[in-house]
Amino acid sequence: MTPILSLWTQPEPAKKSAPKCLSQRVLVVEDELLLGEIAAETLTDAGYEVFTAASAEEAEVMLRDMSVDLLFTDVDLGGQNGFELAQTALSLQPLLSIVFTSGRSRICYGMCRPLKVPFLAKPYRLADLVETVERALRATTTQ
């Protein structure tokens, strides 16, 4: 007789091996703390080393002290906006990839498209977040 396993007694599924992006570092800048934590956790699960900041000013301090491969930032951050943060970030780290996100998708997408900078409209699916980050990092490494 085969025992019936409940959800609590079933073995955990095998974790996926971390992708090759393990050494890639992402800075998530989001003033909505819960959204920032969810994005950070998703990217960590995808194998990235992730740091978070709740404002552009906090992100600038971090960018002066450490190197990152990608900046994932909300456009509307309260004080300084994501576009201004991106300019400062690129002056500090010229090879940095950038992905913008915002709930004001029509306006922000229109601003990002001519710059050829990826834009992820809120609300976004977590799989789309990982795919957009991967695509942005691949584009940078192939240039």
Side-chain angles (χ1 to χ4, degrees), residues 17-82:
S17 60
K20 294 180 182 176
C21 62
L22 188 59
S23 64
Q24 291 177 308
R25 305 172 95 187
V26 177
L27 175 57
V28 174
V29 185
E30 175 62 68
D31 60 339
E32 294 182 48
L33 298 180
L34 183 59
L35 290 178
E37 287 303 314
I38 291 169
E41 184 176 326
T42 299
L43 293 170
T44 298
D45 289 347
Y48 295 95
E49 186 176 358
V50 181
F51 305 91
T52 59
S55 68
E57 294 77 14
E58 182 182 357
E60 283 182 23
V61 170
M62 294 172 78
L63 289 165
R64 291 181 199 289
D65 292 339
M66 67 179 184
S67 173
V68 296
D69 299 294
L70 184 131
L71 172 67
F72 178 71
T73 183
D74 188 8
V75 173
D76 299 313
L77 292 170
Q80 189 180 90
N81 69 41

Side-chain angles (χ1 to χ4, degrees), residues 116-139:
K116 297 182 181 174
V117 176
F119 176 77
L120 194 58
K122 288 180 185 176
Y124 50 80
R125 293 177 352 152
L126 298 178
D128 292 339
L129 167 63
V130 173
E131 181 182 323
T132 302
V133 166
E134 287 174 355
R135 198 173 337 117
L137 287 167
R138 267 194 317 268

